Amino acid sequence: MTILGISAFYHDSAAALIEDGRIVAAAQEERFTRKKHDPGFPAQAIKYCLQYSGTDINKLDAIVFYDKPLLKFERLLETYYAFAPKGIRSFLMSIPVWLKEKLFLKRLIREELEKIGYNSASKVKLLFPEHHLSHAASAFYPSPFERAAILTIDGVGEWATASICLGEGKNISILKEMRFPHSLGLLYSAFTYFLGFRVNSGEYKLMGLAPYGDPYSPDIERYIKTIKDKLVDLRDDGSIWLNQEYFDYATGLKMVDEGKWEQLFGFPKRQPDDELKDYHCNLGLAIQQLTEEVVLNMGREAKRLTNADALVMAGGVALNCVSNGKLQSAGIFNDIFIQPAAGDAGGALGAALAAYHIYFGKEREVTTERDAMRGSYLGPTFSDLDVELMAVKYKAVAKQFTNFDELSSETAKLLAEGNVVGWVQGRMEFGPRALGGRSILGDPRNAEMQKKLNLKIKYRESFRPFAPSVLAEDCAEYFDYDGISPYMLLVHPVAEKRRMPVPADYASFPLREKLYYQRSDLPSITHIDYSARIQTVHKDTNPRYYQLIDSFKKLTGYGVIVNTSFNVRGEPIVSTPDDAYRCFMRTEMDYLVVGNFLFDKRQQPAWQEKDNWKEEFVLD
């Protein structure tokens, strides 16, 4: 039985294909169109999934869309009715679009599928599970648990903004939902907006900014009190109630009432290019702490309702790896699995899995491995010939290695010498994290590496932290954590023995002074609060990446390297050798490794293309 799942028309469109319940292929549309968070119909992602599996679109058993458009339309109408006459401008802008396109989404999907060979006369079923069921399915079915509590948290689906479910065998039971307009995801996005970052793409920046706040500042307590007194009522069961007098997302054209927020917090909305001040950092820390409190409450409620030993998570808020780490450390559950494509892209996979197990009633085979995501390496791959053709196209100079041991040792040596290396191997990752398939790598011992990567390679804000990739068996050597984190979705502290003392007044240092103060013997992956967003690397899911880190360990004694996604600010992660070479040449990266080929920047012909990535990509 072959089923195609689709997510589209909001953000992070994607396609995923399963065969007899086994995940075969999955990819986001942005990787093909080169438009970050592309919301369009995922035609190229679908073509890839079909091609990789060798499946004819008209021989599928079902095509499954990740939510119910008519329920969304119902929510839209009821919300405008409830808030009327407020929101008339937004109403007049959105309703015509719904009436023209989204209300007839089934027809639109069929038309788009016909462009890639779908025959409307075929007997392929077109199914529409609910949004949060798709999230729940994406987390539970690939997990290694026969029985688990399921927690999904995001902005909003149709009506639900968070849900607690119980997964048992092939079945998922919805136990509790929180409904729009009350939403932890939208609350976090409101602060993302007020602090000058883009909604639906800048939330991870807010998470990275939060540790620069001074935890001892009276501002933190004052901000949290203000938020709880005026903006949000927190309940013990994890549900929240948002005071809509201060928000504008339900019927307006922006997230918050900026004038009222300025009065609440004492400063205006930050503009994207404004310098970050202490009060921005402190407000970021306040909302992060409050988010962690809510997630912990939701986790306790999920435990109370299910009494399950394990928890699985999905939805955009499940990408908040700091709150994930706090939830794991709280010990409420014995084990936690988080869907690596936790956002809307993963909804495509969940929709397909929900159809297989729930609609078609197929039994579930629980994996005996860590999980069934196959390391999340589910995207397109390439051959040596693809690399050679790319090199011919750009007259690029490369050294081909016939022995990967030699290439691994050479790359490890380059890293140890302080070089930045682009690393493209095997199948592309599914989800927002680069996991050693499409990564930029560096030496974590190098105190200048964070600054170099941010300012000269990624061209992004200097405060942004970088993640460590560590050999799975060495994790406890460097971090206060001895479990696994293959998808870079957990934050835990750097080990005490690795830390260096900071001055007593360190918390009050200006942002830049905090940023460049060496805090451990792994300065490039140690965040301002001694934390790190860990990726454990496993030999069975990515043997080449594992071997590279092992080579680096043999050379330096350290089984850990810096890993960041292979892209510049505003660009989707690279997919093809062509994408990788273009990004390599438009940055100050030193070396590029694609498959078995090593490119030295000094040997490449001058880059003749007149395009400018700052103009080509919308800066996020």
Side-chain angles (χ1 to χ4, degrees), residues 283-298:
L283 185 59
L285 179 56
I287 189 56
Q288 177 63 34
Q289 288 182 355
L290 187 136
T291 299
E292 292 162 14
E293 181 181 347
V294 175
V295 171
L296 281 170
N297 285 342
M298 288 184 176

Side-chain angles (χ1 to χ4, degrees), residues 407 411 421-425 566 591-599:
L407 176 56
T411 305
V421 178
W423 179 259
V424 180
Q425 299 289 337
F566 198 145
Y591 292 87
L592 171 65
V593 178
V594 187
N596 299 309
F597 296 80
L598 173 65
F599 298 80

Side-chain angles (χ1 to χ4, degrees), residues 67 82 186 270 285 450 592:
D67 68 9
L186 290 173
R270 176 179 168 268
L285 179 56
Q450 182 189 17
L592 171 65

Side-chain angles (χ1 to χ4, degrees), residues 494-546:
V494 170
E496 195 73 40
K497 64 182 178 182
R498 299 283 172 192
R499 301 184 188 185
M500 296 177 179
V502 294
D505 60 344
Y506 176 69
S508 63
F509 279 21
L511 187 147
R512 288 191 185 280
E513 288 186 38
K514 282 184 184 177
L515 178 62
Y516 299 123
Y517 197 98
Q518 187 162 340
R519 297 173 294 282
S520 79
D521 67 340
L522 298 167
S524 291
I525 56 88
T526 303
H527 202 19
I528 210 81
D529 57 354
Y530 289 110
S531 68
R533 177 163 48 101
I534 302 166
Q535 180 201 0
T536 53
V537 179
H538 303 261
K539 194 171 187 177
D540 59 329
T541 53
N542 196 334
R544 284 196 162 205
Y545 194 38
Y546 182 95

Side-chain angles (χ1 to χ4, degrees), residues 76-351:
L76 197 72
L77 288 179
E78 287 198 23
T79 300
Y80 281 123
Y81 180 76
F83 283 84
K86 185 181 176 184
I88 187 66
R89 277 184 66 212
S90 174
F91 178 85
L92 292 173
M93 289 177 68
S94 63
I95 291 300
V97 176
W98 271 91
L99 293 177
K100 183 181 177 183
E101 296 176 1
K102 296 186 179 181
L103 192 56
F104 302 101
L105 208 58
K106 195 169 186 176
R107 185 180 68 192
L108 177 61
I109 291 170
R110 288 187 190 279
E111 289 172 353
E112 292 293 339
L113 288 169
E114 285 170 359
K115 294 175 185 177
I116 53 178
Y118 174 71
N119 183 348
S120 294
S122 69
K123 295 182 179 179
V124 180
K125 293 181 181 295
L126 189 55
L127 304 174
F128 295 84
E130 285 196 30
H131 184 97
H132 273 257
L133 178 60
S134 294
H135 276 320
S138 77
F140 177 60
Y141 292 125
S143 80
F145 312 128
E146 174 68 31
R147 184 177 189 274
I150 308 171
L151 179 59
T152 68
I153 322 168
D154 65 5
V156 61
E158 296 89 0
W159 277 105
T161 61
S163 73
I164 295 172
C165 306
L166 174 64
E168 291 183 288
K170 67 177 181 179
N171 301 313
I172 292 176
S173 307
I174 299 172
L175 305 178
K176 203 167 191 175
E177 284 187 344
M178 188 162 70
R179 294 199 141 205
F180 185 86
H182 310 295
S183 165
L184 180 61
L186 290 173
L187 176 66
Y188 203 83
S189 290
F191 280 87
T192 300
Y193 171 84
F194 189 68
L195 289 169
F197 306 120
R198 287 174 68 92
V199 172
N200 290 330
S201 68
E203 284 78 5
Y204 60 96
K205 295 185 185 182
L206 175 55
M207 183 180 67
L209 177 69
Y212 290 94
D214 179 358
Y216 307 107
S217 169
D219 282 351
I220 305 296
E221 187 176 342
R222 179 169 61 85
Y223 287 150
I224 291 177
K225 185 177 186 306
T226 299
I227 295 167
K228 289 183 176 181
D229 286 350
K230 299 292 186 181
L231 298 183
V232 57
D233 180 19
L234 274 57
R235 314 285 169 82
D236 290 342
D237 68 352
S239 62
I240 62 174
W241 181 90
L242 300 184
N243 183 352
Q244 293 301 305
E245 289 182 24
Y246 290 90
F247 297 91
D248 205 30
Y249 58 76
T251 56
L253 301 174
K254 56 187 188 301
M255 289 301 297
V256 304
D257 186 317
E258 295 174 17
K260 288 182 178 179
W261 277 51
E262 182 175 348
Q263 288 182 345
L264 281 182
F265 299 113
F267 59 87
K269 177 188 180 299
R270 176 179 168 268
Q271 298 306 309
D273 294 326
D274 289 352
E275 183 181 354
L276 285 161
K277 304 287 188 181
D278 289 345
Y279 48 79
H280 296 128
C281 302
N282 287 338
L283 185 59
L285 179 56
I287 189 56
Q288 177 63 34
Q289 288 182 355
L290 187 136
T291 299
E292 292 162 14
E293 181 181 347
V294 175
V295 171
L296 281 170
N297 285 342
M298 288 184 176
R300 294 187 188 100
E301 182 68 2
K303 178 70 172 182
R304 185 187 72 80
L305 290 173
T306 65
N307 198 31
D309 293 329
L311 173 72
V312 300
M313 298 176 67
V317 178
L319 294 171
N320 191 309
C321 44
V322 179
S323 63
N324 294 344
K326 296 286 176 65
L327 180 57
Q328 185 182 56
S329 297
I332 300 167
F333 294 91
N334 295 341
D335 210 346
I336 294 178
F337 169 75
I338 304 160
Q339 165 56 238
D344 278 6
L349 174 60

Side-chain angles (χ1 to χ4, degrees), residues 384-452:
D384 281 355
L385 177 59
D386 293 322
V387 185
E388 290 170 358
L389 291 173
M390 175 273 286
V392 170
K393 175 182 176 180
Y394 293 113
K395 297 182 174 58
V397 178
K399 177 181 179 182
Q400 183 175 9
F401 287 75
T402 54
N403 185 327
F404 185 73
D405 291 347
E406 292 178 11
L407 176 56
S408 175
S409 298
E410 178 66 18
T411 305
K413 179 171 173 287
L414 294 172
L415 290 170
E417 291 170 351
N419 293 294
V420 175
V421 178
W423 179 259
V424 180
Q425 299 289 337
R427 295 183 72 179
M428 180 179 67
E429 303 89 340
F430 179 53
R433 306 281 183 246
L435 302 169
R438 305 289 185 275
S439 293
I440 298 173
L441 310 176
D443 184 347
R445 306 167 303 158
N446 188 324
E448 295 298 311
M449 188 55 62
Q450 182 189 17
K451 183 189 292 186
K452 181 176 182 179

